[in-house]
Amino acid sequence: MMNIQGVLENALTQILKTPVLINGCGRTDAHVHASQFFFHMDIEQAWDFDLMFRLNKLLPASIAVFDIIPMEGTPHARFDAVQRCYDYFIHTYKSPFLNGLSAYYLLPELRFDQMKQAAALLPLYKDYRGFCTSPDKYEHTICNVMSAGLTVDSSGDLLRFQISSNRFLSKMIRIIMGQLLKIGKGELSVDEFEHYLINKETPRLITPAHPQGLYLSKVTYPYLDLSVRTTFSAILQPQFETFR
């Protein structure tokens, strides 16, 4: 099965009639979504047609290109990014409309206040070794988490966890979300959650949350800060307007 990068490279190669390789702003697990994602490519010869129109006609319905931006110099989609923002969505009832777009957890009585307290601790710490599946493969596990928070709709059926940082480690957000769900179920205390941050200690049992709920929702560069064209929360209006 071809990944998204391969699909894009094949389509661009077919349209431009020359081999094309792209560099994306990051890599992630299967079934994880992105409502904003950047990649760069180096093309020697300019085209004289509407590349975005042809590309979107050729790409499958699950992949859409919103902009093609000429850049000067040698910008890098991955290494130049200064901030990435992710959203994680959960629904607590079976829904054919949310299946595949949000993570389904049949957990109607979560302890939201404790989950929010734990999420609010994240920007206070920098070393996320305790929330990574393979910390030793990195030179360091420091992440500058700028914001993190959990919101819940008025019925308690829809949850949204949002976190932004300069970088993320392997499965870091899904592991954090898994720990927050344990807090919500009463299987982990807020103090125990903070213990992993303080002591940089990996939990004995790591249970990452389902990938379907995770979205890369915004990427920011020193020279480029575009508003998000499509957000998952907009699909669920007006429910998300009543988040608390």
Side-chain angles (χ1 to χ4, degrees):
M1 182 177 179
M2 189 176 295
N3 59 20
I4 294 175
Q5 178 177 344
V7 172
L8 285 164
E9 289 176 341
N10 277 0
L12 287 164
T13 296
Q14 182 177 335
I15 295 170
L16 296 173
K17 304 293 191 290
T18 185
V20 176
L21 298 177
I22 67 173
N23 287 278
C25 61
R27 290 171 290 182
T28 190
D29 305 330
H31 306 297
V32 172
H33 312 282
S35 50
Q36 187 179 77
F37 188 93
F38 292 91
F39 68 85
H40 77 259
M41 61 182 184
D42 299 316
I43 301 295
E44 293 183 1
Q45 187 171 352
W47 53 87
D48 57 358
F49 51 84
D50 190 339
L51 176 58
M52 191 166 72
F53 175 78
R54 293 192 186 184
L55 188 56
N56 277 319
K57 285 201 69 174
L58 193 58
L59 291 172
S62 58
I63 305 175
V65 175
F66 296 137
D67 295 288
I68 297 177
I69 307 170
M71 302 295 292
E72 296 182 357
T74 56
H76 198 287
R78 180 182 176 189
F79 299 130
D80 288 357
V82 294
Q83 182 176 349
R84 294 171 173 86
C85 181
Y86 280 86
D87 284 291
Y88 192 96
F89 295 96
I90 289 176
H91 59 286
T92 62
Y93 58 94
K94 185 177 180 180
S95 169
F97 303 104
L98 298 178
N99 182 41
L101 297 175
S102 172
Y104 171 46
Y105 284 94
L106 186 57
L107 301 170
E109 296 183 1
L110 291 169
R111 306 188 313 175
F112 300 128
D113 289 342
Q114 287 87 342
M115 294 175 71
K116 291 179 182 180
Q117 290 174 26
L121 293 171
L122 294 169
L124 304 180
Y125 295 90
K126 299 298 181 186
D127 197 324
Y128 281 80
R129 183 179 181 85
F131 296 133
C132 178
T133 54
S134 50
D136 292 333
K137 79 174 185 180
Y138 296 96
E139 291 184 8
H140 65 84
T141 50
I142 303 298
C143 299
N144 181 23
V145 174
M146 303 159 195
S147 64
L150 183 82
T151 49
V152 186
D153 76 329
S154 57
S155 67
D157 292 328
L158 300 173
L159 287 76
R160 178 181 186 174
F161 172 63
Q162 187 173 79
I163 183 170
S164 62
S165 177
N166 66 322
R167 68 192 288 255
F168 291 92
L169 308 174
S170 175
K171 291 186 172 61
M172 173 176 155
I173 302 172
R174 291 174 56 200
I175 291 172
I176 290 174
M177 193 67 239
Q179 295 297 94
L180 293 178
L181 285 171
K182 286 184 178 181
I183 293 173
K185 292 185 289 184
E187 298 174 359
L188 185 74
S189 70
V190 176
D191 288 341
E192 288 171 322
F193 178 85
E194 189 173 18
H195 168 84
Y196 297 124
L197 290 165
I198 295 172
N199 294 283
K200 309 171 189 61
E201 178 183 328
T202 304
R204 184 180 305 174
L205 178 62
I206 295 179
T207 308
H210 304 326
Q212 290 85 352
L214 185 58
Y215 286 73
L216 173 59
S217 51
K218 193 169 189 335
V219 184
T220 305
Y221 297 89
Y223 44 77
L224 190 63
D225 185 4
L226 297 183
S227 59
V228 178
R229 183 70 61 87
T230 301
T231 62
F232 178 66
S233 59
I235 299 171
L236 294 178
Q237 299 294 354
Q239 292 99 317
F240 274 80
E241 292 179 351
T242 62
F243 265 35
R244 62 176 186 264

